[in-house]
Amino acid sequence: GLYEGYALEITIRHKAVVDGFDVTISGRIDGVHPPHNGGAYVIEEIKSVVVPPLVFAALDANSYPHYVEQLRLYCFFIEQEQKSALGRLVFVNVADGTTKEVEIRGPFGDCERLIADRVRSLIAQAQEEQRRQEERRTHSGSLRFPHDKPRVHQDEMMAAVDHALKEGRHLLVSAPAGVGKTTAALYPVVKYALAHDKRVFFVTAKNTQQQIVRETLQRMGANKSAHPNAVFFRARESMCINDVYACREEFCPHLRDFQAKLEGTGIVNRLLAQRLIIPDAMMEAGRGVSVCPFELALIEAELTDVIVCDYNYVFDPQVYFRRFFLDADYSDAILIIDEAHNLVQRALEYYSPVLSRQQINDLKRNLRHVDPSLAKELKKFLDQIDDFFRHQARPKVDEYTQLD
């Protein structure tokens, strides 16, 4: 049977009906212990953390409430199969390999209400998105060209962009400076995207280009509420408001209870009201309510017409926006690549990682901030890498010199 003996990576599904909607929730349980002497199934959820030993020793069920909520849901699902369940949250401290178990007992019946509340929230989001789509279609017809009249050859480029959009084809444009390529690409693309429920990604190699995009979008509306809305990204590290750049809940208070802070402060809608949401505004808002500006920008991106960002967030295999590009179907997106000739070198860098000896030495000097037991192991590892660099730096001799 499914739960005979300890079982790993158990896929589970739960079906429910909420306000006339058929709902299927699926998840994967890390581990299940079978009952002993008529007891309960023990449902394990294993989570890794990176914290100092004293902080790890103090962890309890209140330390990570969203982990507890996930585990309680799994226990609820098991109980719906007429089986008794007990939760066990297992923390593993990556810093030193220690583990700690926290027992989570029922009752779990309140999870049914939690599921219903969450589904109703998702339904409301879907209805709001439908309202926004209707609003976008209306805006499409009212967008105006951002200048008094097109420049010489600008109208030709816009006609080519229009044709490519209607045919669903790619378009590569080469034109001299002064033609107004940004406007010639952005205006027809945004107009088409709003009318056809698509999202525009404008990617560039330079942050300075973002200001031009912002001004162009602003001019497309007769007033502030009529122009398209957009969110502008900087690098994640450049948008960080924490004392130390470390994107884990253990190190960053602005990532903790992120969803609850969003819901409790209404910060998402307040920023959306600005229409053109720039990094400085998100950083200021993030400081005010203690939320990560970059994660906030990702939420805003799901609600805006245009996303303006660096090449990396579309093309870099390490940091690309997975929420938009993880699936192979990009039919709901239109991509504008600014100064596309710069993409070749950037793409080479994506697949040509570089590690310098200076970086290794910098890490070794900063080990004083690391737990002593972990620092010892890290230094041993870094010394091995440094030895490799030293070996590579030795003068090479040819085969004839070796014979001497």
Side-chain angles (χ1 to χ4, degrees), residues 5 38 56 71 84 97 100 103 129 141 154 160 167 184 196-197 219 237 247 274-275 277 310 327-328 364:
F56 187 76
L71 180 54
S84 180
K100 182 174 184 178
E103 196 171 272
E129 176 59 25
Q154 197 175 44
E167 295 293 322
H196 295 84
D197 300 330
R219 292 194 191 104
E237 187 171 0
C247 291
Q274 298 181 17
R275 303 295 293 178
I277 313 169
D310 188 87
D327 297 327
K364 288 165 72 174

Side-chain angles (χ1 to χ4, degrees), residues 16-23 119 123 127:
V17 178
V18 179
D19 297 345
F21 288 89
D22 292 326
V23 180
V119 170
I123 293 170
Q127 291 171 338

